[in-house]
Amino acid sequence: MEGLLQGFVVVLTPLNFVFALLGAFLGTLVGVLPGIGPIGAMALLLSATYTLPPSTALIMFAGIYYGSMYGGSTTSILVNIPGEPSSVVTCLDGNQMARKGRGGSALFIAAIGSFIAGTIALLLLTFLAPLLAEAALKFGPPEFFAIAVFGLIVLSQLSGQGLLKSFLMIGLGILLSTIGLDVITGRPRLTFGTISLQQGIDFVPIAMGLFGVAEVLQVAEEKVKGKKQVVRVRLRELLPNRLEARRSAGPVIRGSFLGFLTGLIPGPAAVISTFLSYTLERKLSRNPKEFGQGAPEGVAGPESANNASAVGAFVPLLSLGIPFAPPTALLLSAMMIHGVTPGPLLIQQRPDVFWGVIASMYIGNFMLLALNLPLVGLFINVLRTPKNLLMPCILLLCIVGGFAVNNSVVDLWIMLLAGILGFVLKKLNFSVAPLVLALVIGPMLEDSLRQSLMLSQGDMSVFYTHPLSRYLFLFAGVIVLTPALLRVLKKKPASGKRSAPRPDRRKDPGSAAG
Amino acid sequence: MPRLSPNTWCAIGVSAGTLIYLAEAWELPFGGARNPDIGFLPILTGFIVLGLAFLLIGWEFFRPDAPKKDLFTDEEKGESAGFKKPLILGAAILVYPAAFLHLGFLLSTILLLALSLRLMEYRGWPGSLIIASLVTLSAYFLFGYWLHVNFPKGILG
C-alpha cells in the first residue's frame, strides 16, 4: 500500500499528470483510427521521449496502450469498423445497437464497462505483481528459460495460424535476435562483415516496419473507398435505460476477471479475451438469439474483457521483465532505452517507475472516462480523415521514428525492409506477432539456456530437476499435444465415412499440423 | 509452372534466408553442451527453422487440395486494387534510404510522400507535391529543430 501511495505521489506531479493525460488521449486517438495501433504510436513517440524522465515516458506509453482499448470501441459501435483487433467483437452488437438508435447507450456501456474492468484489473495487478516479483527473485536460468519457451509455445497455439507456421515465425524471430554482439562474451557475430550490424537488430524499427509500413503498403493495395457511414450520437442520448444497465452489470464483472486472467497468458490476449467473453455471455444469456442483433451484453462483456486483459499483460512485464504481447514488448524496449532494467528487481531498484506506472493507470482510467464520452464527437471527426492522406503521414512518422531511435540509416533500412516483409507475410497469411515476441525474448532465451547448460555441465536434466521449469515444460507439452490428440480421437469414429470430402480441413496446414 | 500455395512461397523464402544465415553462422564456434559458444543457438535454431520450412513445403506438396489463391485479386472481398501500387511503393521504399543519404531528408521524403499520395489517389501530382512538401517541412521543423534529430541535409546542405 505504501508503494502505491508513493506511485500516486510520482504520478500527481504536474509533468507526469500531463503526460498521463496525453498518453490516454493519444491512446484513444490511435484506438479510434484503424491502421495505426498502440505499437505504432508508441514506437513513433519513443524518440520524442528521450529527454523525459523514465517514469514520465513510461506513464505516457502505458496510457497509450490501455487508452487504445477504450478508443477501439467507438469506431466499432458507430462505423462498424474496428479501430483495434480487440474491438472486432464489439462490432457485432455495438453497431446493431447504434442502428437501432442506441449508439449513445452502447458507447456508455463500453466506457463504463472498460472503466470498471480496468479498475478491478488494476486492483489485481497491484496485489499480484509485487508477489510474483518477489517469487521471481528465487528463479535461476532454468526457470527463465522455461518461462521463455512456455511463453512462445502458448503464443504459437494462440496466434491463430497453426503450430507449424507459428514455430517458423518464432524461429525467424530468434534468428534475428542473435545478430549483433553476443550477450555473454561480447563478441560480434552474424554481422556479415558490417560494423553497423554489431549493435544488433533493434526491436523498435522492426515493430514500426511490421506494424506501420506494412499497413501503408496494405492500404496502397486497397481500392479507394467512399466516405464511411457514421452513426450520429448526441450527448443526451448517452445514458442507457434501466434494462440495458441491468443486463450489462454481470457481463462487466465476468469480463473483468476473464480478461485479467487472459492477459496473463502470452499472445494476443486482448483479442482472445473478447471472443471468450462474447461466447460466455451468449451461453449464459436468457436471450441468446438477441446476440448479433444489438444485445448490450455483447458490448459490455468484450469491452470489459479487453481492458482488463491490457492491464493483466502488465503483470509478467513488471514482475518478470518478460513481455507476452507486442505492445508490452515495446514497453519493455522503452524501459531499456530509458535505462530501466525490467524484471523482478524493478520494484526494489526503481519503485518510482514500478508504482508510478501502476498508479498512473488508476488515474488514467478516470481520465479516459472523462475523455471518451464528452469528446466522442471529436474522435469521430478524426475518423473522417481520409485513409489515403493518413497513411502517407504514417509512413513519414515511421521514417522519422525509425531513423531517430539511433540517428542511424541502418535502422531506417531495417525498418523499411521489415515493412516489406510484414506486407508479404500478411499477404501470405502469416501472423507476425510470434516473430516480434521471439525477437524480444530471444536474447533472454539464449542467455538463460547457455547459463543453465554451463551451470549443469551440459546436463539437460537441469530443466527437469527444477520444479517450476519441469511443470512449465510439462504444461507446454500438454498445450502442444492436446489439440493433436483431440483431432486424432475425433477422426477415429469417422474413419468409416471417408467418402465425404472435407475441403475446409486443409484451410490452414499449420493448424492441421498442430 | 505449377502454382504454389502462400505457405510454400513463405517456406521457400524462409529457407533461402536461413541458408544465407547458416552460411554465416557456420563460421562461429559452436562449443558443446557443457560450454555452449556463440554459434550454439544460431546454428541449432538455423537448422530447426530450415527443418520446419521443409516440413511446411512437404506438407503442402503432399496435400494437393491446398488453396492456391491469387494474392492480389481475390482477397478481402474483391477490395484489392492489384499488385502494381504496393509494388511501386515497395520499390520506392527500397530506394529511399539511399536517396535519404544523398539527396537529404527533405527532398527524398517529399518525393516519397508525393508518390505515395498519388498512388493512393488522394490528389493529382501538383496537389500531392504540395501536401507532401507541407507535411515533410512540418516534420522537419518539429523533429529536426524541436527534438534535435540530426537529419542528413544532402544536396541542400
Side-chain angles (χ1 to χ4, degrees):
Chain A
M1 205 62 197
E2 202 178 302
L4 188 62
L5 286 176
Q6 186 192 351
F8 278 111
V9 172
V10 171
V11 79
L12 287 173
T13 58
L15 181 74
N16 287 346
F17 189 81
V18 167
F19 274 87
L21 185 65
L22 186 68
F25 179 78
L26 288 174
T28 309
L29 205 64
V30 297
V32 166
L33 288 169
I36 179 165
I39 305 162
M42 284 192 273
L44 290 174
L45 286 168
L46 205 53
S47 58
T49 63
Y50 286 165
T51 49
L52 294 174
S55 47
T56 311
L58 292 167
I59 281 169
M60 185 178 78
F61 287 137
I64 292 174
Y65 181 33
Y66 58 76
S68 67
M69 297 292 149
Y70 267 75
S73 61
T74 309
T75 47
S76 293
I77 292 166
L78 299 182
V79 204
N80 204 21
I81 296 174
E84 284 300 307
S86 55
S87 300
V88 171
V89 174
T90 312
C91 286
L92 300 174
D93 285 282
N95 191 253
Q96 285 299 322
M97 282 179 78
R99 282 165 194 265
K100 289 175 181 168
R102 305 299 302 155
S105 169
L107 284 172
F108 189 87
I109 290 169
I112 289 288
S114 299
F115 172 75
I116 295 170
T119 310
I120 291 174
L122 271 168
L123 288 169
L124 294 169
L125 169 72
T126 307
F127 291 104
L128 204 61
L131 288 177
L132 192 59
E134 204 182 316
L137 285 173
K138 292 170 192 148
F139 292 175
E143 281 83 4
F144 276 105
F145 178 68
I147 291 170
V149 172
F150 175 74
L152 291 173
I153 296 259
V154 176
L155 174 69
S156 64
Q157 269 294 11
L158 298 179
S159 65
Q161 59 181 344
L163 271 188
L164 196 50
K165 288 166 76 174
S166 291
F167 281 161
L168 205 60
M169 290 296 104
I170 288 172
L172 212 57
I174 294 175
L175 293 187
L176 288 175
S177 77
T178 57
I179 294 172
L181 292 178
D182 171 46
V183 206
I184 296 175
T185 60
R187 278 182 287 165
R189 61 178 175 180
L190 298 153
T191 55
F192 295 87
T194 58
I195 297 168
S196 13
L197 275 179
Q198 283 190 7
Q199 61 180 346
I201 294 187
D202 198 18
F203 166 74
V204 178
I206 290 275
M208 287 171 87
L210 290 175
F211 294 98
V213 180
E215 186 66 29
V216 175
L217 287 166
Q218 179 70 39
V219 172
E221 190 212 323
E222 286 170 11
K223 280 179 186 163
V224 181
K225 291 175 196 162
K227 283 190 176 172
K228 303 168 192 108
Q229 292 293 316
V230 183
V231 179
R232 287 193 175 276
V233 172
R234 292 190 187 121
L235 209 60
R236 63 172 178 269
E237 293 168 356
L238 282 174
L239 279 182
N241 58 37
R242 196 172 286 181
L243 182 67
E244 285 168 339
R246 209 172 47 220
R247 284 176 65 176
S248 304
V252 167
I253 303 297
R254 282 189 291 271
S256 306
F257 286 98
L258 186 72
F260 182 79
L261 290 174
T262 320
L264 302 175
I265 303 168
V271 184
I272 293 164
S273 70
T274 55
F275 281 94
L276 285 177
S277 167
Y278 192 81
T279 313
L280 177 73
E281 292 313 324
R282 197 162 59 177
K283 285 235 187 289
L284 292 177
S285 174
R286 286 180 192 161
N287 318 301
K289 283 186 182 168
E290 266 187 49
F291 276 73
Q293 312 292 322
E297 296 95 327
V299 176
E303 276 305 311
S304 310
N306 70 22
N307 261 69
S309 77
V311 177
F314 277 83
V315 175
L317 177 74
L318 291 176
S319 50
L320 301 175
I322 302 173
F324 278 168
T328 47
L330 214 133
L331 274 165
L332 180 104
S333 272
M335 281 182 173
M336 287 162 88
I337 284 172
H338 280 277
V340 176
T341 312
L345 288 171
L346 179 69
I347 192 167
Q348 290 170 11
Q349 290 171 345
R350 295 303 301 263
D352 58 322
V353 172
F354 185 92
W355 289 111
V357 169
I358 293 179
S360 78
M361 288 157 84
Y362 280 97
I363 290 171
N365 240 349
F366 281 100
M367 287 174 175
L368 283 166
L369 195 63
L371 276 176
N372 268 263
L373 293 174
L375 296 183
V376 70
L378 173 84
F379 291 123
I380 288 301
N381 279 332
V382 171
L383 190 64
R384 291 198 174 100
T385 311
K387 228 177 177 181
N388 47 6
L389 171 65
L390 192 69
M391 285 299 147
C393 294
I394 288 173
L395 179 62
L396 169 72
L397 289 173
C398 285
I399 288 168
V400 173
F403 176 74
V405 175
N406 296 312
N407 269 354
S408 154
V409 183
V410 177
D411 280 347
L412 194 62
W413 269 111
I414 291 170
M415 185 200 67
L416 296 171
L417 287 172
I420 293 170
L421 176 75
F423 173 69
V424 172
L425 287 174
K426 215 176 208 179
K427 298 301 304 173
L428 297 174
N429 217 7
F430 275 71
S431 163
V432 293
L435 188 156
V436 169
L437 282 194
L439 176 67
V440 180
I441 296 179
M444 189 194 97
L445 184 124
E446 180 178 12
D447 199 14
S448 52
L449 170 69
R450 282 168 64 190
Q451 279 182 5
S452 303
L453 289 175
M454 281 191 255
L455 287 171
S456 68
Q457 292 288 303
D459 184 5
M460 289 285 187
S461 69
V462 68
F463 299 113
Y464 183 78
T465 48
H466 286 235
L468 180 73
S469 128
R470 178 172 63 232
Y471 289 122
L472 284 174
F473 275 115
L474 281 174
F475 199 27
V478 169
I479 288 168
V480 172
L481 294 175
T482 307
L485 282 174
L486 285 175
R487 206 169 288 128
V488 171
L489 287 174
K490 267 186 190 173
K491 253 187 183 177
K492 271 193 176 169
S495 56
K497 303 172 188 172
R498 290 187 60 153
S499 55
R502 290 194 295 170
D504 288 351
R505 276 280 295 119
R506 258 289 300 109
K507 204 172 176 182
D508 192 323
S511 58
Chain B
M1 200 178 107
R3 290 180 78 188
L4 299 175
S5 70
N7 290 333
T8 313
W9 276 117
C10 188
I12 290 171
V14 171
S15 309
T18 310
L19 280 173
I20 297 169
Y21 174 93
L22 273 173
E24 181 79 3
W26 203 247
E27 306 292 321
L28 302 171
F30 185 79
R34 279 168 188 265
N35 188 20
D37 215 326
I38 58 172
F40 187 77
L41 190 81
I43 294 173
L44 217 61
T45 316
F47 278 110
I48 291 172
V49 171
L50 209 58
L52 287 170
F54 287 152
L55 200 64
L56 190 56
I57 293 171
W59 189 274
E60 294 288 305
F61 187 74
F62 290 108
R63 294 256 175 175
D65 54 337
K68 294 174 181 69
K69 58 184 178 178
D70 192 333
L71 296 179
F72 290 94
T73 53
D74 62 357
E75 282 215 336
E76 300 196 16
K77 298 165 199 161
E79 289 178 1
S80 168
F83 67 93
K84 274 186 193 162
K85 287 178 181 178
L87 198 70
I88 295 170
L89 192 57
I93 279 174
L94 283 178
V95 174
Y96 176 78
F100 181 78
L101 274 179
H102 295 104
L103 296 178
F105 170 75
L106 281 176
L107 272 182
S108 59
T109 311
I110 288 171
L111 289 174
L112 180 70
L113 282 202
L115 176 73
S116 55
L117 282 163
R118 184 69 204 104
L119 282 173
M120 292 183 200
E121 298 173 30
Y122 182 64
R123 291 278 187 276
W125 274 111
S128 297
L129 271 168
I130 292 167
I131 293 165
S133 306
L134 287 174
V135 173
T136 309
L137 279 171
S138 314
Y140 184 74
F141 283 109
L142 181 70
F143 290 94
Y145 278 84
W146 185 44
L147 295 167
H148 307 292
V149 176
N150 201 9
F151 291 122
K153 291 191 171 62
I155 52 172
L156 295 178

